[in-house]
């Protein structure tokens, strides 16, 4: 699989590509235009303070704007060991544009990265559904838009945080793994180390997802030839994060334990947050931060939203069962179980697991695709109709509320 195979847009993907770019472009336009006045002319400390007072997008942080606009480590380096260094070239691009135009182009540079990553995330998921799972073109397109209508997928592809980058890298790895499973080929050591370095470099915990996909694809070959080099990469990345954290005089333990808790009823977290807020925004405390003013648990004000959640979870469970004999579906379920273990059982980001949606929710449309594969054409409509209706509902609901939220006047 060459870079051309991966990134070249095929003829039968052109309609999807145009639709995806229009939608992604529209939502990125909203967030750029909202804060444009604070970035365009200058970049003073007081402008950044005004910006942070106005930037409230759940638990997402606008660190990427700061790193690209005024380069510094920015992120929690123990969890994102290479990310600030990966963004350094974009800082230089922004400095060049600033010098040429006299305008701080931070938002446009970051926006271009987000558009690229989210666009190819659409393409990779659609290819997975069509060419790996093997469902029809239109069903794959509906399921792709179904997934990108999820609340914290739609938000992740526009906020200046790292989750959109992770989504792109995970879906790229999953797509490559699916194609290799079909063809009976294996990840080479170079591919494993490159994917692991970049993905874990962006978010260390996502290195485990890469390893899950590689192990499921390569089988015993991984343990014979690739285990120790992979472990060495993760050790080096952790070491880089640890050393820089110490040099910055920050406490590693505080950074990690700050994110771990499990003192709220697990079932309520699963219903309202893990499968709830991740997919459908709650109207109360819209995009509030659970670490600031938003309660950990917020209930939906309309009972039908629980029905929608139940239908999605039911389809997910049925699809996972239908695809249980597929190595690729088992790979997806393994990724999901890892996320569930990390966020619900261990309690990492327990109070706001929805901000991690991009790391696992792609398994839902993949599982649903296996229902299409496992039933007759007549019964496919029993899934196709709710998928179409829920997709239309989610896009309408989230477009309305995000548009209102992102066009609200700034507090200067």
């Amino acid at each position: 699989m060459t870079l051309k195979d991966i990134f070249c847009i095929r003829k039968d993907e052109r309609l999807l590509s145009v639709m995806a770019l229009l939608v992604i472009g529209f939502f990125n336009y909203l967030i750029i235009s909202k804060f444009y006045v604070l970035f365009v002319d200058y970049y003073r400390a007081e402008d950044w303070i005004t910006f942070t007072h106005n930037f409230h997008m759940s638990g997402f942080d606008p660190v990427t704007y700061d790193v690209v606009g005024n380069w510094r480590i920015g992120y929690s380096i123990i969890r994102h060991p290479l990310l600030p260094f990966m963004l350094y070239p974009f800082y230089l691009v922004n400095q060049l544009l600033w010098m040429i135009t006299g305008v701080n182009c931070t938002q446009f540079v970051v926006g271009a990265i987000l558009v690229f990553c989210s666009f190819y995330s659409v393409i990779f998921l659609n290819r997975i559904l069509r060419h790996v799972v093997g469902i029809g073109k239109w069903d794959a397109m509906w399921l792709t838009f179904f997934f990108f209508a999820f609340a914290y997928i739609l938000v992740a592809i526009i906020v200046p945080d790292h989750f959109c980058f992770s989504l792109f890298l995970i879906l790229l790895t999953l797509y490559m793994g699916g194609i290799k499973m079909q063809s009976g080929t294996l990840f080479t050591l170079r591919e494993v180390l490159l994917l692991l370095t970049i993905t874990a470099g962006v978010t260390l915990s996502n290195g485990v997802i890469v390893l899950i996909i590689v192990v499921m694809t390569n089988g015993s070959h991984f343990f014979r030839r690739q285990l120790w080099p992979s472990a060495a990469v993760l050790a080096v990345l952790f070491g880089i994060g640890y050393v820089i954290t110490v040099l910055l005089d920050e406490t590693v333990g505080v950074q990690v334990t700050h994110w771990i808790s499990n003192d709220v009823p697990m079932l309520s977290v699963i219903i309202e947050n893990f499968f709830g807020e991740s997919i459908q925004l709650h109207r109360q405390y819209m995009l509030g931060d659970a670490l600031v003013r938003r309660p950990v648990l917020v209930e939906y004000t309309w009972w039908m939203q629980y029905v929608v959640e139940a239908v999605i979870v039911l389809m997910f469970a049925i699809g996972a069962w239908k695809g249980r004999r597929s190595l690729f579906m088992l790979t997806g379920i393994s990724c999901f179980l890892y996320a569930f273990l990390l966020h619900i059982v261990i309690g990492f980001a327990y109070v706001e697991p929805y901000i991690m949606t991009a790391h696992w929710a792609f398994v839902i449309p993949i599982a649903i695709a296996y229902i299409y594969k496992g039933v007759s054409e007549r019964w496919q409509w029993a899934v196709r109709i709710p998928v179409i209706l829920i997709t239309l509902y989610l896009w309408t609901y989230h477009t309305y509320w995000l548009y209102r939220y992102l066009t609200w006047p700034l507090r200067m």
Side-chain angles (χ1 to χ4, degrees):
M1 185 179 291
T2 65
L3 288 176
K4 182 179 179 181
D5 296 327
I6 294 173
F7 292 104
C8 183
I9 302 302
R10 301 161 188 174
K11 185 176 180 179
D12 59 354
E13 294 172 337
R14 291 175 184 172
L15 175 61
L16 174 67
S17 299
V18 171
M19 295 171 66
L21 284 174
L22 288 174
V23 173
I24 294 167
F26 171 72
F27 283 101
N28 274 277
Y29 162 77
L30 288 181
I31 197 165
I32 289 173
S33 62
K34 181 177 180 66
F35 300 111
Y36 178 75
V37 67
L38 298 178
F39 284 91
V40 65
D41 292 325
Y42 33 70
Y43 196 89
R44 301 174 303 175
E46 51 265 41
D47 298 318
W48 181 255
I49 292 171
T50 302
F51 167 68
T52 54
H53 284 171
N54 282 276
F55 186 89
H56 304 290
M57 300 290 287
S58 189
F60 295 105
D61 297 317
V63 179
T64 307
Y65 279 167
D66 197 24
V67 174
V68 172
N70 185 26
W71 195 86
R72 62 186 184 87
I73 294 298
Y75 301 94
S76 171
I77 200 69
I78 198 71
R79 291 187 292 117
H80 312 287
L82 298 183
L83 185 53
F85 306 105
M86 293 177 181
L87 290 173
Y88 186 74
F90 297 99
Y91 159 75
L92 296 179
V93 169
N94 184 57
Q95 291 297 305
L96 177 62
L97 292 174
W98 200 343
M99 181 175 62
I100 294 172
T101 66
V103 172
N104 179 11
C105 298
T106 299
Q107 286 185 287
F108 299 102
V109 174
V110 173
I113 304 171
L114 292 173
V115 168
F116 175 87
C117 290
S118 51
F119 172 74
Y120 275 102
S121 296
V122 170
I123 298 299
F124 295 151
L125 178 60
N126 188 257
R127 288 179 184 173
I128 288 170
L129 296 171
R130 289 191 63 190
H131 305 304
V132 178
V133 181
I135 64 174
K137 174 182 177 179
W138 296 107
D139 286 329
M141 187 178 293
W142 274 108
L143 278 176
T144 300
F145 280 102
F146 167 76
F147 170 71
F148 281 90
F150 288 5
Y152 278 74
I153 298 300
L154 187 54
V155 175
I157 67 175
I158 65 172
V159 293
D161 210 324
H162 61 85
F163 294 94
C164 186
F165 312 153
S166 293
L167 178 64
F168 164 76
L169 292 168
I170 292 171
L171 287 177
L172 169 61
T173 308
L174 193 62
Y175 170 56
M176 292 177 65
I179 295 298
K180 290 177 184 293
M181 289 177 192
Q182 281 190 331
S183 62
T185 57
L186 304 178
F187 282 102
T188 65
L189 179 60
R190 183 173 64 178
E191 289 173 334
V192 172
L193 298 184
L194 182 60
L195 288 168
L196 188 60
T197 300
I198 297 174
T199 305
V202 170
T203 301
L204 191 61
S205 57
N206 284 342
V208 177
I209 298 179
V210 172
L211 291 180
I212 289 172
I213 298 169
V214 171
V215 168
M216 297 296 281
T217 305
N218 287 12
S220 60
H221 177 80
F222 171 80
F223 295 99
R224 292 197 308 268
R225 302 289 181 84
Q226 300 169 337
L227 174 61
W228 292 113
S230 299
V233 167
L234 290 178
V236 169
L237 290 176
F238 179 79
I240 290 172
Y242 182 86
V243 169
I244 295 177
T245 300
V246 172
L247 291 175
L248 293 176
D249 198 26
E250 296 178 359
T251 306
V252 176
V254 171
Q255 287 196 31
V256 176
T257 57
H258 170 72
W259 282 83
I260 297 178
S261 64
N262 55 3
D263 54 353
V264 182
M266 181 180 292
L267 182 60
S268 297
V269 170
I270 293 172
I271 294 173
E272 300 295 349
N273 291 345
F274 192 72
F275 283 116
E277 179 79 357
S278 296
I279 297 173
Q280 300 177 86
L281 291 173
H282 290 78
R283 287 183 61 183
Q284 293 181 308
Y285 300 97
M286 178 72 67
L287 291 174
D289 190 341
L291 300 179
V292 183
R293 289 183 295 273
R294 182 190 190 274
V296 174
L297 297 176
V298 179
E299 296 182 351
Y300 289 109
T301 56
W302 185 34
W303 64 271
M304 272 300 296
Q305 291 180 289
Y306 288 108
V307 174
V308 170
E309 180 180 344
V311 170
I312 292 173
V313 172
L314 179 62
M315 290 192 296
F316 175 38
I318 293 173
W321 177 255
K322 286 286 186 182
R324 68 191 184 279
R325 293 186 178 89
S326 164
L327 179 60
F328 186 74
M329 185 70 256
L330 292 177
T331 303
I333 292 300
S334 298
C335 294
F336 168 77
L337 291 176
Y338 165 66
F340 191 88
L341 173 67
L342 183 63
H343 302 308
I344 302 301
V345 179
I346 296 175
F348 182 76
Y350 186 78
V351 299
E352 47 182 6
Y354 37 83
I355 69 170
M356 307 292 179
T357 304
H359 298 166
W360 64 269
F362 50 84
V363 184
I364 295 178
I366 291 173
I368 294 173
Y370 277 93
I371 305 180
Y372 293 130
K373 290 280 291 183
V375 299
S376 64
E377 176 65 25
R378 182 176 64 179
W379 284 103
Q380 285 180 5
W381 282 100
V383 181
R384 191 173 288 134
I385 290 173
V387 165
I388 292 173
L389 292 177
I390 291 173
T391 301
L392 294 174
Y393 152 70
L394 289 176
W395 274 110
T396 303
Y397 179 74
H398 290 142
T399 299
Y400 173 77
W401 285 108
L402 280 175
Y403 180 82
R404 287 193 59 179
Y405 194 84
L406 292 173
T407 54
W408 196 259
L410 295 174
R411 295 183 293 117
M412 302 300 289

